[in-house]
Amino acid sequence: MTRPVPWPTGLRADSGAVRFDLSLSENPFPPLPSVIAAIDTSLGGVNRYPEFLPQRLPRLIGEHLGVDADRIVVGAGATGVAMQIMQTLPRPGSEFVYATPTFDGYPIMANMAGLRPVAVPLDGNGNQDLWGMARAVGDRTGLIAVCRPHNPTGTVVGASELKAFLCSVPARVPVILDEAYVEFLGAADALDPLELIHRHPNVLVLRTFSKAYGLAGLRIGYAFGAAEPVRRVRRLQLPFGVPGPAVAAVRASYAAEAELGERILRIATERELLRTDLRRAGIRVPRSSANFLYLPGRDIAPALARAGIAAKRYPDGSARIAVGHPGAHRAVLHALADRPSAGLRRALRREDSRLLSLTARYEPSVLRERHR
């Protein structure tokens, strides 16, 4: 990902130019060739309006997941669907409980929707403190969000811990289970979302085609859950809001799952290589199950900025970087090896025997679902 883009507000590279933009956890690859072909073909019909209210896309997603179409709501990316949830399910003025740091959009959208953010800090390992979040739930709680994997650390709440947490949440409180990066989960972390929403009708599973599928520019997101909360969220469905190319892209993406699985594996392998090198360099990078890494340390973000690398920056100087581009990885390693506090200044090897076991047991969830 080497596109020239405006430097984020308040940041600038010493060289005055962005070499790599790793700030938005984007997929570094363009859509698969068959997906691009399907989008190109669909463009011939963009002189016509799309469906007034989307029917084809929920049906297409539902057939893939094994969920009735009336239990799916679609929107402008996961962000758009999350905003619809915030505007419909909790009462205005109620509290929104989430872990911090998290996806930037959550506190912003909560304020827009008239909710009061209640942020619960992560633990020392970058994990969501579910029991701290449970203690924060009270009579005024109107909504909870749990990310799995978590943004920005990439850590994963254990399936049993999540289920225990959901059992502790009052049934009146809706819960967003944010699975924006679910396709990057390893087999050991998989859970059955259909069983989850059956046991917990207050849970809405939120997903996107922006990350693993590489369709961020088309803004395709969805949530699924029990029919009643989905019906309420659908009341804010934007008319003519799902363009034809989005439907074509999703259909072609589902048809190309084997290729997609290979691409996800490639990104995950690059992620593990980079994490291994960074940890050798003394940076305590949490194990990530997403397409990004979280780099803690007060001198991390400034060092990346000096090298012309755009990263998601946090107030304490830590950073989150998208992964998958080998050239960007080398640039990150060189930038951080030049820090005054760096304990290692050497070329870092690209081979590590421990990665064999990591990749051997890794199977992208897009392939696992096909096996069911």
Side-chain angles (χ1 to χ4, degrees):
M1 191 183 315
T2 59
R3 64 174 187 251
V5 295
W7 194 252
T9 302
L11 297 174
R12 67 183 298 274
D14 288 354
S15 63
V18 176
R19 297 170 56 206
F20 294 98
D21 183 355
L22 309 180
S23 61
L24 292 176
S25 65
E26 295 161 318
N27 192 315
F29 303 108
L32 295 167
S34 59
V35 176
I36 293 176
I39 294 171
D40 286 345
T41 300
S42 71
L43 292 177
V46 295
N47 58 307
R48 303 291 186 181
Y49 282 103
E51 295 173 299
F52 182 74
L53 292 177
Q55 302 294 326
R56 289 184 298 163
L57 186 57
R59 190 162 56 245
L60 184 62
I61 294 171
E63 290 171 356
H64 183 79
L65 296 177
V67 177
D68 292 340
D70 64 357
R71 298 174 65 186
I72 297 170
V73 57
V74 298
T79 302
V81 179
M83 187 67 187
Q84 290 174 228
I85 293 171
M86 291 181 178
Q87 291 174 316
T88 53
L89 297 188
R91 297 188 310 274
S94 61
E95 295 177 345
F96 172 45
V97 176
Y98 61 94
T100 187
T102 190
F103 168 52
D104 286 349
Y106 279 138
I108 294 171
M109 291 187 293
N111 284 317
M112 292 172 64
L115 305 179
R116 189 168 78 84
V118 177
V120 178
L122 304 179
D123 67 20
N125 296 315
N127 297 302
Q128 294 163 100
D129 180 2
L130 290 191
W131 303 115
M133 294 171 67
R135 289 191 295 272
V137 174
D139 293 340
R140 293 182 56 81
T141 304
L143 184 65
I144 302 170
V146 177
C147 298
R148 192 175 190 270
H150 186 60
N151 179 2
T153 58
T155 54
V156 181
V157 170
S160 58
E161 185 180 4
L162 175 65
K163 292 174 182 178
F165 169 75
L166 292 175
C167 287
S168 76
V169 174
R172 63 175 178 81
V173 179
V175 179
I176 296 174
L177 178 58
D178 186 335
E179 291 191 337
Y181 304 92
V182 67
E183 291 84 6
F184 294 96
L185 281 178
D189 293 316
L191 57 76
D192 185 349
L194 302 188
E195 177 189 357
L196 203 66
I197 61 177
H198 176 73
R199 291 181 177 272
H200 303 282
N202 58 325
V203 172
L204 286 172
V205 180
L206 183 66
R207 292 184 177 179
T208 181
F209 287 88
S210 296
K211 306 303 181 181
Y213 291 90
L215 299 173
L218 287 181
R219 311 308 301 129
I220 314 167
Y222 65 96
F224 59 98
E228 194 278 332
V230 168
R231 179 188 58 79
R232 292 169 59 191
V233 177
R234 273 184 160 185
R235 290 185 303 187
L236 288 187
Q237 190 79 65
L238 180 67
F240 303 118
V242 178
V247 179
V250 170
R251 180 178 291 109
S253 294
Y254 283 157
E257 283 193 334
E259 296 171 81
L260 182 67
E262 292 173 1
R263 179 166 286 184
I264 292 170
L265 182 57
R266 179 177 174 185
I267 292 172
T269 301
E270 284 289 341
R271 180 193 67 211
E272 295 305 314
L273 287 165
L274 179 59
R275 178 175 181 267
T276 297
D277 288 344
L278 289 168
R279 288 180 66 86
R280 284 175 176 162
I283 301 172
R284 300 187 62 183
V285 183
R287 183 174 298 284
S288 173
S289 293
N291 67 332
F292 55 77
L293 289 173
Y294 180 74
L295 283 53
R298 60 188 176 86
D299 57 349
I300 298 293
L304 294 174
R306 286 192 297 270
I309 300 169
K312 171 57 187 171
R313 183 171 185 166
Y314 295 90
D316 65 354
S318 300
R320 185 200 66 198
I321 57 170
V323 299
H325 189 298
H329 294 180
R330 289 191 292 270
V332 167
L333 293 171
H334 283 296
L336 298 182
D338 289 338
R339 292 174 300 142
S341 62
L344 182 61
R345 291 179 173 84
R346 63 178 175 84
L348 297 167
R349 292 178 297 147
R350 304 302 294 168
E351 298 86 17
D352 191 309
S353 60
R354 286 174 295 174
L355 292 174
L356 294 177
S357 62
L358 287 169
T359 56
R361 72 169 183 260
Y362 182 85
E363 183 184 18
S365 64
V366 292
L367 296 182
R368 293 197 306 273
E369 287 187 355
R370 180 65 75 189
H371 294 165
R372 290 176 182 170

